[in-house]
Amino acid sequence: MTWIAIAALVLLAWALCYLGRGSWAWIAPCGLGLAYWCWRLYRRDSFDEFFDARDGEKVALWILIGTWAVATLVLGPTPLRRALLGPLVYRIVAPILPRMSETERVALEAGTVWFDRDLFSGAPAWRRLLDFRCKPLSNEERAFLDGPCEELCRMVTDHAVVQRGDLPEEVWAKIKRDRFMGMIIPKEYGGLGFSALAHSAVVTKLSSRSATLSVSVMVPNSLGPAELLLHYGTEQQKQHWLPRLADGREVPCFALTEPGAGSDAGGMQARGVVCRGTFEGREVLGMRLSWNKRYITLAPIATVLGLAFVLEDPERLLGGEVELGITCALIPATTAGVEIGERHDPLGVPFHNGPTRGHDVFVPVEFIIGGPKLAGHGWRMLMQCLAAGRGISLPSLSTGASQLVLRTTSAYASVREQFGLPIARFEGVEEPLARIAALTYAIDATRRLTAGAVDAGEKPSVVSAIAKRWTTEGMRTVVNDGMDILGGAAISRGPRNIIAPAYMATPIGITVEGANILTRSMIVFGQGAIRCHPWAQEEMRLAAAQDVGGFQRAFFSHVAFVFQSAARSLALGLTRGRLASVPGHGASAAYLRRLTYLSSAFAFSADLAMGSLGGDLKRKEKVTGRLADCLAWMYLASASIKRWHDDGERAAELPLMRWSVEHALCEAQRALREYLDNFPVRAAAWLARPIVLPPFSGLRAPSDRLGAAAARAVVDGGPARDAVTADIFRPALGEAGLGVLERALAAVLASREPERKIKDALRAKVIAREPAATLRERAVHAGVITPAEQAALERAERERWDAVQVDSFAPDAYRALR
């Protein structure tokens, strides 16, 4: 009876924690327990009789007394807690909180916090996410996509661009004339003033046609002079530069990366010294600059360089500090001492990319973006702009490439036959095809949701980093699967092969705008743990300010949050999320419940890492990387469910939504399992495992049956195929590559009914199988099929044969290939 009473009290404490009543979660049950034992003592004739009772009762009593005392101190009334524990907690905890350099602080504070905060909370507000509406494309934006964007795509093919080593002059002229470089520039400055979603849609379409084309348009609209000017430029700078950037009179690049400073901007060697000098025949206050930059896209043809450098003012001519810090300026490429023109060769993808150097280049201080008053503010400017821009360009490129691979492989698998069957019927092909389709669905959902957040005024730094890293990694998986399905047709380069260019370009997306290794291991959780956590950033701020009272309030609120996360993780894990209250019904509601469990488990795991490792956590990149995996997969699952909801829950796309979400849930839980398996503080991991991964909480990968349904949704011209590839450029039927496959697919689908009739006739022995050469003629003669159906069969055979051909070259032509 004694232990049953204790178990009941523990369950009461757990329930109070789950409901968010952390302050009473252990005090109230233990107080009830003590009252119970006092009542029992009252019923005894003497103290001696009570203490002569069974040992179990004594143990239970002391457990309750100890637990009640600790709970009262930690979670009890504020005055008692502050008086007895507050100073001690401050002295112990405050010193172990991570200390941030100014560079780290600026990076962490860049951008805004959005739905990532919900995922960190352990109790996401799903209704708010589902009710969020992405800004739709305007009529003008749709007209641009259907007009100039389609026209630009028709002017190039990837193979021709690669062989030429550049875009044709007429393509560059159209890019400038139709202001593709000015999509993010407002109309009042001569740009198109497009939304983030429209900007993303343009890049997606161009990426499905040519990587070189998309990068050439993407970079001027991403992190660079235009965006920096929009947010930080003086009005005079905006009036001068933005119209020229919008119409292509000026071609921009942004020079940040150096041989010794890639991810570590603090290692930047580019230097500027404030001094007086002569510029264009007049003496001005200026800067003498020297730099050596590399991997700079558009640098070989740029007319204006956005330059990041460390500025010093040894004579204090600007009236401030000597060491001003990272600064951004616009440098005309014609300025004396500027070196451009050399090109790198990024895996044979011929977009303009190369080094730029400068030695003793003198320019006025007015060339600083924002003027002299923003000298030394360059790092903050870059981080703020990257917080949003990183979530647009590369997720869009990943979507375009993935949709192209899906459309190509689904057609090829339907047309190509082996052993008398389309290869789409073989389970070995069906498996990667399902993965291609569902991951493409998730990648596009992530792109749309992230762009929608930017249009809503957010600069979601953590979400943008997730979108960049996990969509480009998803693209890598999709492209690799596409290469496997097409086999020899994918490795034989030429006009017919539209998969190989994507395969060659994929590592570029993995590397730029924050290498994926860095983004996963340091940025996503490193920034998210502080910005998105309900209390971590506040605790660090109060500790730095030496606000003892404020720190105590934040710390004990944090403790209550940990208890709540633990209780929710255990309860929701045991019930597979069934206790969670979520909107909707059916499959999506079940997935939202499981996501709520994962969010609680993640919140508790994040606190375990921060509490156990303290300031050492930022050096434990395997730990933070696995926590980043969990957070990212939760976001991708949320995006897929959101897309399914926004698109009207179309039945044809249900297998794709289900596969993508189940895959994401499984990956998120696998990340938590590996996190606990490898957590450095083994005792903490052992204690946390039943809370994070309780019995019955296992989340399975998508089943073979679901994979088969996902693959069937996109083969044979399935209804989901057009919906999931709606954003790409579709070439004319018969054009080498996708055009030939589309024509062949239409012919093959038209021949399926007469094929079925002949097979039925063969089984019924209406006609003989041999001789095979005259089978169709005999079927017509027997009335099994009509002459028109015979023609459809013959056309399908010709088109199928054409679709599976690969390019070959005469020796001289081969030697001329790039």
Side-chain angles (χ1 to χ4, degrees):
M1 188 68 187
T2 298
W3 293 106
I4 293 175
I6 288 181
L9 294 172
V10 169
L11 285 173
L12 176 59
W14 178 22
L16 287 170
C17 276
Y18 181 88
L19 294 171
R21 304 293 187 264
S23 297
W24 295 100
W26 295 100
I27 299 171
C30 292
L32 289 173
L34 286 174
Y36 165 71
W37 252 271
C38 287
W39 175 77
R40 291 198 57 181
L41 180 61
Y42 172 76
R43 296 289 303 271
R44 301 276 182 171
D45 293 333
S46 66
F47 283 99
D48 292 339
E49 183 179 347
F50 178 79
F51 285 103
D52 284 342
R54 295 187 300 274
D55 289 341
E57 292 185 335
K58 296 179 187 177
V59 172
L61 176 61
W62 290 115
I63 288 174
L64 283 171
I65 291 173
T67 306
W68 178 80
V70 172
T72 301
L73 283 174
V74 175
L75 300 171
T78 300
L80 177 65
R81 187 174 64 214
R82 185 177 298 172
L84 297 180
L85 277 186
L88 177 62
V89 165
Y90 181 79
R91 286 197 300 271
I92 294 175
V93 177
I96 67 174
L97 291 174
R99 294 289 185 264
M100 290 186 292
S101 67
E102 181 63 17
T103 300
E104 289 174 318
R105 186 189 65 78
V106 169
L108 286 171
E109 293 178 357
T112 60
V113 175
W114 189 55
F115 186 67
D116 39 339
R117 183 190 294 275
D118 283 61
L119 294 175
F120 257 91
S121 73
W126 296 116
R127 173 53 62 191
R128 185 168 60 212
L129 176 68
L130 295 180
D131 288 345
F132 171 75
R133 288 290 174 263
C134 297
K135 180 181 178 181
L137 296 176
S138 68
N139 291 335
E140 181 183 2
E141 291 167 342
R142 291 187 183 277
F144 187 87
L145 282 165
D146 295 337
C149 198
E150 285 278 322
E151 294 163 6
L152 186 62
C153 287
R154 283 195 289 269
M155 295 173 71
V156 301
T157 65
D158 219 342
H159 178 75
V161 170
V162 168
Q163 295 310 308
R164 191 178 188 277
D166 193 3
L167 298 171
E169 289 301 322
E170 60 271 21
V171 173
W172 279 112
K174 183 170 181 61
I175 288 172
K176 295 174 181 180
R177 182 174 61 253
D178 289 340
R179 302 178 186 248
F180 278 88
M181 291 184 169
M183 285 190 288
I184 66 169
I185 297 175
K187 291 181 179 179
E188 57 263 34
Y189 295 109
L192 296 174
F194 278 179
S195 65
L197 189 59
H199 169 198
S200 173
V202 171
V203 174
T204 296
K205 181 164 285 191
L206 299 183
S207 298
S208 70
R209 187 57 166 172
S210 165
T212 300
L213 177 63
S214 65
V215 171
S216 299
V217 168
M218 180 177 78
V219 168
N221 291 284
S222 184
L223 176 64
E227 184 158 6
L228 290 168
L229 283 167
L230 283 171
H231 292 97
Y232 302 104
T234 65
E235 188 57 34
Q236 182 179 7
Q237 289 173 336
K238 292 178 183 179
Q239 293 290 348
H240 175 79
W241 288 110
L242 290 178
R244 291 168 169 79
L245 291 169
D247 62 18
R249 282 175 286 168
E250 303 285 357
V251 177
C253 70
F254 191 79
L256 176 62
T257 305
E258 302 177 358
S263 302
D264 179 16
M268 190 180 295
Q269 297 299 308
R271 286 293 184 268
V273 178
V274 178
C275 59
R276 295 193 179 276
T278 301
F279 185 79
E280 295 182 346
R282 56 192 178 90
E283 185 175 333
V284 297
L285 180 63
M287 306 170 289
R288 196 164 298 280
L289 308 171
S290 295
W291 69 86
N292 178 18
K293 305 285 187 177
R294 65 178 181 180
Y295 308 148
I296 312 304
T297 299
L298 297 184
I301 59 170
T303 62
V304 58
L305 282 71
L307 182 69
F309 56 94
V310 178
L311 184 61
E312 301 172 357
D313 186 8
E315 300 180 42
R316 298 182 187 271
L317 297 174
L318 295 179
E321 301 292 329
V322 172
E323 300 288 342
L324 294 172
I326 295 176
T327 302
C328 296
L330 293 180
I331 314 297
T334 56
T335 306
V338 175
E339 298 178 21
I340 59 170
E342 295 179 6
R343 294 182 66 174
H344 299 310
D345 182 13
L347 289 175
V349 184
F351 61 90
H352 285 276
N353 182 277
T356 174
R357 305 177 188 89
H359 181 67
D360 285 340
V361 177
F362 182 80
V363 295
V365 292
E366 285 75 21
F367 282 19
I368 295 173
I369 296 176
K373 69 179 184 298
L374 289 187
H377 291 264
W379 183 242
R380 176 174 60 85
M381 295 158 62
L382 293 172
M383 291 300 99
Q384 290 285 356
C385 290
L386 196 59
R390 168 190 278 144
I392 303 298
S393 299
L394 289 165
S396 305
L397 185 148
S398 301
T399 299
S402 298
Q403 289 190 11
L404 174 65
V405 171
L406 171 57
R407 196 159 188 90
T408 301
T409 54
S410 59
Y412 187 85
S414 301
V415 169
R416 173 72 163 164
E417 289 189 352
Q418 291 288 277
F419 307 103
L421 289 173
I423 63 172
R425 304 276 182 88
F426 293 94
E427 290 188 356
V429 172
E430 186 181 79
E431 183 178 11
L433 191 57
R435 192 160 50 235
I436 289 171
L439 285 180
T440 299
Y441 184 91
I443 290 167
D444 189 31
T446 302
R447 172 191 72 89
R448 287 163 51 172
L449 181 58
T450 307
V454 174
D455 279 331
E458 300 289 345
K459 290 187 175 181
S461 52
V462 174
V463 162
S464 292
I466 289 172
K468 185 271 171 183
R469 194 273 179 184
W470 274 265
T471 59
T472 54
E473 290 293 343
M475 171 182 64
R476 173 152 56 184
T477 300
V478 166
V479 171
N480 285 345
D481 281 336
M483 295 288 290
D484 287 348
I485 291 174
L486 266 68
I491 62 173
S492 300
R493 296 174 61 206
R496 288 175 173 269
N497 186 346
I498 54 176
I499 299 293
Y503 180 78
M504 297 300 291
T506 293
I508 299 169
I510 301 291
T511 303
V512 300
E513 289 194 7
N516 281 5
I517 290 176
L518 168 77
T519 303
R520 172 184 178 266
S521 62
M522 296 179 67
I523 295 177
V524 171
F525 185 78
Q527 190 169 16
I530 295 173
R531 290 296 305 280
C532 304
H533 192 281
W535 300 105
Q537 188 175 22
E538 182 73 359
E539 288 169 325
M540 293 174 65
R541 183 185 66 80
L542 293 168
Q546 298 183 346
D547 183 346
V548 179
F551 180 83
Q552 291 173 13
R553 286 190 296 273
F555 175 79
F556 288 112
S557 297
H558 190 163
V559 171
F561 174 73
V562 173
F563 274 98
Q564 182 182 4
S565 298
R568 288 177 61 84
S569 176
L570 181 58
L572 295 173
L574 286 169
T575 62
R576 295 175 64 83
R578 290 183 177 86
L579 293 179
S581 176
V582 299
H585 58 277
S588 63
Y591 293 142
L592 290 178
R593 292 188 181 97
R594 294 171 196 172
L595 273 170
T596 304
Y597 149 63
L598 283 174
S599 176
S600 297
F602 170 79
F604 178 75
S605 299
D607 277 314
L608 175 70
M610 290 188 286
S612 301
L613 301 175
D616 290 338
L617 179 58
K618 65 181 181 180
R619 290 182 289 275
K620 300 295 184 181
E621 295 171 19
K622 295 175 184 176
V623 172
T624 58
R626 291 183 177 109
L627 289 171
D629 287 338
C630 181
L631 177 63
W633 284 113
M634 287 193 293
Y635 180 69
L636 265 66
S638 304
S640 292
I641 294 170
K642 167 70 172 166
R643 174 179 180 167
W644 163 250
H645 177 269
D646 288 353
D647 288 350
E649 301 185 353
R650 294 191 288 244
E653 297 166 42
L654 178 59
L656 305 184
M657 184 277 285
R658 291 186 59 204
W659 197 102
S660 65
V661 174
E662 290 186 18
H663 174 71
L665 294 174
C666 180
E667 289 296 308
Q669 191 176 61
R670 184 171 68 86
L672 289 177
R673 185 176 295 109
E674 292 178 358
Y675 159 81
L676 291 173
D677 288 344
N678 296 277
F679 193 68
V681 185
R682 297 309 304 151
W686 182 78
L687 292 170
R689 184 174 291 275
I691 295 173
V692 176
L693 301 170
F696 315 114
S697 65
L699 299 173
R700 293 187 292 272
S703 67
D704 290 347
R705 179 178 295 180
L706 179 57
R712 285 195 298 270
V714 295
V715 298
D716 292 342
R721 182 172 182 257
D722 285 342
V724 183
T725 62
D727 303 297
I728 66 172
F729 173 75
R730 299 185 191 178
L733 293 180
E735 181 186 293
L738 184 57
V740 168
L741 281 170
E742 292 285 353
R743 188 176 65 189
L745 177 62
V748 167
L749 292 178
S751 72
R752 289 286 166 82
E753 180 61 19
E755 277 185 355
R756 183 192 63 78
K757 291 180 179 179
I758 291 177
K759 289 179 180 178
D760 290 345
L762 289 171
R763 282 194 292 268
K765 298 184 179 180
V766 174
I767 54 176
R769 191 174 299 275
E770 299 295 338
T774 62
L775 178 61
R776 294 178 192 134
E777 289 81 357
R778 289 185 287 111
V780 172
H781 183 72
V784 174
I785 61 174
T786 66
E789 288 176 321
Q790 179 187 3
L793 287 168
E794 292 171 350
R795 179 171 177 265
E797 186 175 358
R798 290 194 304 272
E799 295 293 349
R800 180 183 288 116
W801 178 254
D802 186 28
V804 300
Q805 300 307 303
V806 298
D807 296 291
S808 58
F809 305 92
D812 289 343
Y814 179 79
R815 283 192 290 269
L817 292 176
R818 290 186 80 250

